[in-house]
Amino acid sequence: MPDPSIDKINEELNTAKQVQLENVGALTRDQLTPEASANPQGHDVPGHDHAPTADTKPDAHAGHSHASGDDHDHGPAEASPYLWPGVSLVLLLSGLALDYFSEEVPFFTGAMRLAWYGIAFLLVGWKVIRSAIQSIPSGNVFNEFLLMSLATLGAFAIGEYPEGVAVMLFYTVGELFQDAAVNRAKRSIRALLEIQATEVTVVRGGQSLVLDPKQVQLGDTIEVKPGEKVALDGTLTQGPASFNTAALTGESAPQSKQTGDVVLAGMINQESLVQVLVTATYQDTKLAKILAMVQDAVGRKAKTQLFITKFAKTYTPIVVVLATLLLVVPYFVVDDYVFRTWLYRALVFLVISCPCALVVSIPLGYFGGIGAASRAGILLKGSNFLDVLREIDTVVMDKTGTLTQGVFAVQHVQPAPGIEPAQLLRLLGALEAKSTHPIAKAVVQHVGSAAANVSVENVEEIAGHGLRGRVEGRDVLAGNAKLLTKYGVAYPADVDQVVDSIVVAALDGQYAGYLTVADAPKADAQQTVRELRADGITKLVMLSGDKDSITQRVAKELGIDEAHGGLLPEDKARYVQQYLNEGRKLAFVGDGVNDAPVVALADVGIAMGGLGSDATIETADVVIQTDHPSKIATARRIARATHTVVWQNIWLAFGVKAVVLALGAGGLATMWEAVFADVGVALLAILNAVRIQRMKF
């Protein structure tokens, strides 16, 4: 069953406008979540707004509508994006040939010559002129459409028909180049869209129904056939099974899942028919949230983009005034003033001064950086975070689930005298089943079915301490030693000497024993530390709620500068605030619910997206889908490459324009040089920005 939303999204992706690339690929909220706003994102580049008219949609780009399938309409009818520019080019070249052989073709003069070049001009220029006119009622007068229209129509007014056509034709070719670059940059986003399942088989009342995923309710059971995508987040009720998770995590190796394991929307079932109990509605799946992050990302501007936007708003009216002065002032100071000569120079000045290279290549560069990061399994919630990532000098990381695997296993069971090990495990397993903490999962896995059907009620999770609840009618505490201290439960002194992670238990206010669990660093944890140091990070810190002895041991093993363990969420926030007060540019990397406040406090918050909690992922500025901490260094490399390319384009545009503006004002540059300074430099800048998409990180 085809999904009409995909066509709608593709159409939205194809509305890329040359001067509005920070919104390229932006998806409207209703295309991601049913309850989100249906209003399209606005386009706010000063000097480049498009006023909607009666025949345009509110979210369409006036004068630059794009047909589905990446067609870019530049002619009087819907056609291939290359058709009308191609026809215009043929007319221009043939017109130049007829001009050259004017003595042999005397008919190519007067009205015939004007009509010939006029048709060539209108095929590529009529929409630019229309956009210039439509922008006037909104007060957005001084934009590139006005500059292009004045310059090219002025060229026609003084009889320079070929040059007027050439300026508009090369401008159109520039847009085609840009469209190709944008299409390349947005492939990672389109790939995300295509991993959404369009239909799902739901088992209700013993019958199998094929429904839209949006119609499935919590608690429904869905069937996933081999080769099908999982449509909704849920719990595997019929296993074991193997899933391809590459679309979500970038990992090529399939993941094996057992009955009771979590499966996510976007995973592909590889082997036998499986059933999944739905635990999240369509709009609440991790996949839908990832898509929402992508939509948000292209709407946030980096500081460089904001600077160029403000610059263009001031720059455009200034060059119009200067061009007017270039036409008028010489009348009073030049003896042999010729109006046609100085009008030509003013028109050349206008063409050169178009800020196309800046307003096109800079957002495209940042969008390319976001696209490159997406392909590497890194989701940036805004191009501004590319700048912040490049500037950080301190990285503070959580331990469990960030630098370590977060996969614990019970190593030792030590019940208190008079307590049977099986009894202790059954009660702890039943209580810990109510928690999502990695240590709790390890206990549940170790206990297995022994804790099944055990009554548990009044469960309370105490941040940084553990759990409290009634199990089989008994008051049970399970957590660290601070939990027992909090409730006044005495315990043996040797418990504090245990180095490994520990779950201490109390029954009805009496010490009942403990379990030890162990975790191991991730395979790329040492690589992460090594690469961050080589990349200029001057301070690496580990903050953990785990025991300080374990935290120090892991920090020493990995070579981290500073480590603090046994911390509550407010303790982590205090350390981070201390580093910020020292003037450090800081990134915090975490995955747990208790990391969310610290992630929000840092200059840039980074969340582990695979094992991470929803609260932390939603709070973070950057999400690492693969759960590999080494991606932090990868994100830094992408940020630096993006910054380099963007500033290369800025200096290229300013340098060439400054030289040709001076030559044009002095009459040493013709309209052809003006075309290169405008469209040519824009093309070079676009091609330079595209390099980000080809770089290996």
Side-chain angles (χ1 to χ4, degrees):
M1 180 177 70
D3 183 5
S5 66
I6 292 297
D7 293 334
K8 185 178 180 184
I9 291 169
N10 286 334
E11 180 180 355
E12 178 71 16
L13 285 171
N14 291 330
T15 59
K17 176 65 194 81
Q18 176 160 346
V19 294
Q20 189 53 35
L21 291 183
E22 73 276 9
N23 282 325
V24 169
L27 315 179
T28 57
R29 284 285 186 181
D30 61 317
Q31 293 164 339
L32 299 176
T33 60
E35 299 177 358
S37 169
N39 293 327
Q41 294 284 334
H43 300 278
D44 59 351
V45 172
H48 298 87
D49 295 337
H50 298 249
T53 63
D55 62 339
T56 58
K57 297 179 182 179
D59 61 335
H61 296 276
H64 288 78
S65 61
H66 297 245
S68 179
D70 296 340
D71 288 347
H72 193 146
D73 179 16
H74 281 278
E78 294 295 332
S80 164
Y82 302 102
L83 175 60
W84 302 118
V87 173
S88 179
L89 176 61
V90 170
L91 290 175
L92 174 62
L93 294 177
S94 57
L96 290 172
L98 291 172
D99 281 338
Y100 184 78
F101 297 103
S102 57
E103 295 182 0
E104 288 78 5
V105 282
F107 71 88
F108 194 68
T109 58
M112 177 66 181
R113 184 170 182 268
L114 174 60
W116 187 281
Y117 283 115
I119 293 172
F121 175 79
L122 289 175
L123 286 173
V124 291
W126 76 282
K127 287 201 168 189
V128 175
I129 297 173
R130 189 182 73 174
S131 296
I133 296 172
Q134 289 176 339
S135 65
I136 294 174
S138 66
N140 175 30
V141 178
F142 296 104
N143 52 44
E144 71 170 278
F145 306 114
L146 176 67
L147 296 183
M148 298 295 295
S149 301
L150 289 177
T152 52
L153 292 175
F156 267 76
I158 61 176
E160 300 292 345
Y161 308 146
E163 293 178 337
V165 174
V167 169
M168 200 60 76
L169 177 60
F170 281 111
Y171 174 80
T172 302
V173 170
E175 284 204 324
L176 293 176
F177 267 78
Q178 170 212 301
D179 286 345
V182 169
N183 291 334
R184 181 181 181 86
K186 71 190 179 188
R187 283 173 190 165
S188 58
I189 297 175
R190 195 189 300 273
L192 280 176
L193 300 175
E194 291 172 351
I195 66 175
Q196 285 185 302
T198 58
E199 61 182 26
V200 59
T201 302
V202 183
V203 180
R204 289 179 181 170
Q207 294 183 336
S208 296
L209 306 174
V210 178
L211 301 176
D212 187 296
K214 298 182 182 69
Q215 299 174 319
V216 180
Q217 302 172 359
L218 291 177
D220 277 342
T221 296
I222 62 175
E223 286 185 343
V224 186
K225 301 180 181 68
E228 281 188 344
K229 299 168 186 171
V230 179
L232 300 159
D233 294 355
T235 303
L236 190 65
T237 59
Q238 178 183 319
S242 178
F243 293 88
N244 181 336
T245 65
L248 290 175
T249 67
E251 291 297 298
S252 57
Q255 289 190 9
S256 296
K257 299 287 185 180
Q258 306 295 325
T259 299
D261 285 349
V262 172
V263 294
L264 301 176
M267 293 181 175
I268 299 175
N269 181 22
Q270 291 196 307
E271 297 174 353
S272 57
L273 177 73
V274 299
Q275 291 189 342
V276 176
L277 179 66
V278 176
T279 59
T281 57
Y282 184 79
Q283 63 266 30
D284 291 328
T285 62
K286 286 211 174 198
L287 179 58
K289 291 174 181 177
I290 287 171
L291 297 181
M293 290 174 196
V294 175
Q295 191 266 346
D296 289 338
V298 293
R300 297 190 185 184
K301 295 182 183 180
K303 288 185 287 186
T304 309
Q305 287 178 269
L306 294 172
F307 162 73
I308 292 301
T309 297
K310 295 176 182 177
F311 170 80
K313 185 176 181 180
T314 305
Y315 169 83
T316 305
I318 289 176
V319 297
V320 172
V321 172
L322 290 177
T324 304
L325 293 175
L326 185 60
L327 173 63
V328 175
V329 172
Y331 175 79
F332 301 99
V333 297
V334 177
D335 294 333
D336 56 345
Y337 178 83
V338 178
F339 175 79
R340 187 181 185 282
T341 299
W342 288 99
L343 175 60
Y344 183 83
R345 293 183 183 182
L347 295 174
V348 169
F349 190 91
L350 281 178
V351 174
I352 299 169
S353 62
C354 283
C356 300
L358 296 176
V359 297
V360 171
S361 64
I362 292 172
L364 180 59
Y366 279 104
F367 187 75
I370 291 175
S374 296
R375 286 198 307 278
I378 304 164
L379 287 178
L380 293 147
K381 293 188 181 179
S383 55
N384 51 322
F385 298 118
L386 284 167
D387 282 344
V388 181
L389 277 169
R390 183 184 56 83
E391 296 169 354
I392 61 173
D393 55 29
T394 302
V395 175
V396 180
M397 294 170 279
D398 178 43
K399 179 180 74 69
T400 306
T402 300
L403 286 172
T404 63
Q405 295 174 8
V407 180
F408 291 84
V410 174
Q411 303 294 321
H412 180 64
V413 180
Q414 183 61 56
I419 303 292
E420 291 293 328
Q423 178 190 17
L424 177 64
L425 288 172
R426 187 178 74 257
L427 296 175
L428 287 182
L431 181 60
E432 295 285 17
K434 304 301 180 181
S435 173
T436 60
H437 193 282
I439 291 180
K441 291 181 179 180
V443 175
V444 173
Q445 184 174 4
H446 183 78
V447 174
S449 60
N453 302 319
V454 175
S455 64
V456 181
E457 56 187 3
N458 300 331
V459 177
E460 178 185 1
E461 184 160 359
I462 302 160
H465 291 75
L467 296 172
R468 178 188 183 188
R470 286 189 65 80
V471 183
E472 291 186 332
R474 305 185 67 177
D475 288 327
V476 179
L477 297 175
N480 54 32
K482 289 185 293 186
L483 178 67
L484 270 62
T485 301
K486 179 179 177 68
Y487 287 96
V489 178
Y491 59 88
D494 60 351
V495 170
D496 289 328
Q497 307 304 315
V498 178
V499 175
D500 289 329
S501 296
I502 189 172
V503 178
V504 189
L507 300 178
D508 297 323
Q510 299 295 319
Y511 169 73
Y514 66 85
L515 313 177
T516 62
V517 294
D519 187 16
K522 291 182 178 178
D524 62 335
Q526 284 188 327
Q527 174 191 346
T528 301
V529 173
R530 187 168 58 250
E531 289 184 354
L532 287 174
R533 287 195 192 284
D535 201 41
I537 298 299
T538 58
K539 191 177 186 68
L540 289 168
V541 182
M542 179 193 295
L543 302 179
S544 177
D546 205 349
K547 294 179 63 174
D548 188 61
S549 56
I550 298 175
T551 302
Q552 297 299 336
R553 184 185 69 191
V554 174
K556 183 176 181 181
E557 180 180 345
L558 298 180
I560 291 175
D561 302 322
E562 184 178 325
H564 303 278
L567 303 179
L568 296 174
E570 54 266 32
D571 298 324
K572 293 184 179 181
R574 178 168 49 82
Y575 275 109
V576 168
Q577 188 61 60
Q578 175 185 323
Y579 300 134
L580 292 172
N581 292 341
E582 294 173 1
R584 292 186 171 276
K585 276 284 187 180
L586 182 145
F588 182 87
V589 192
D591 71 315
V593 175
N594 60 344
D595 292 328
V598 198
V599 165
L601 182 62
D603 291 306
V604 56
I606 303 175
M608 293 293 168
L611 297 175
S613 73
D614 288 347
T616 305
I617 291 171
E618 290 173 6
T619 306
D621 308 310
V622 180
V623 179
I624 297 176
Q625 290 178 265
T626 62
D627 278 335
H628 290 162
S630 58
K631 294 292 185 180
I632 305 168
T634 303
R636 286 258 299 171
R637 289 193 290 270
I638 293 173
R640 281 205 319 277
T642 302
H643 178 267
T644 299
V645 167
V646 164
W647 279 98
Q648 284 174 348
N649 286 343
I650 291 174
W651 290 116
L652 172 68
F654 276 127
V656 174
K657 282 185 181 294
V659 172
V660 183
L661 277 173
L663 294 175
L668 300 177
T670 67
M671 194 72 78
W672 297 102
E673 282 83 5
V675 168
F676 171 76
D678 174 35
V679 181
V681 171
L683 290 177
L684 291 176
I686 289 169
L687 293 174
N688 190 37
V690 169
R691 288 195 306 120
I692 301 174
Q693 300 294 312
R694 299 179 179 274
M695 293 179 183
K696 302 296 183 183
F697 297 102

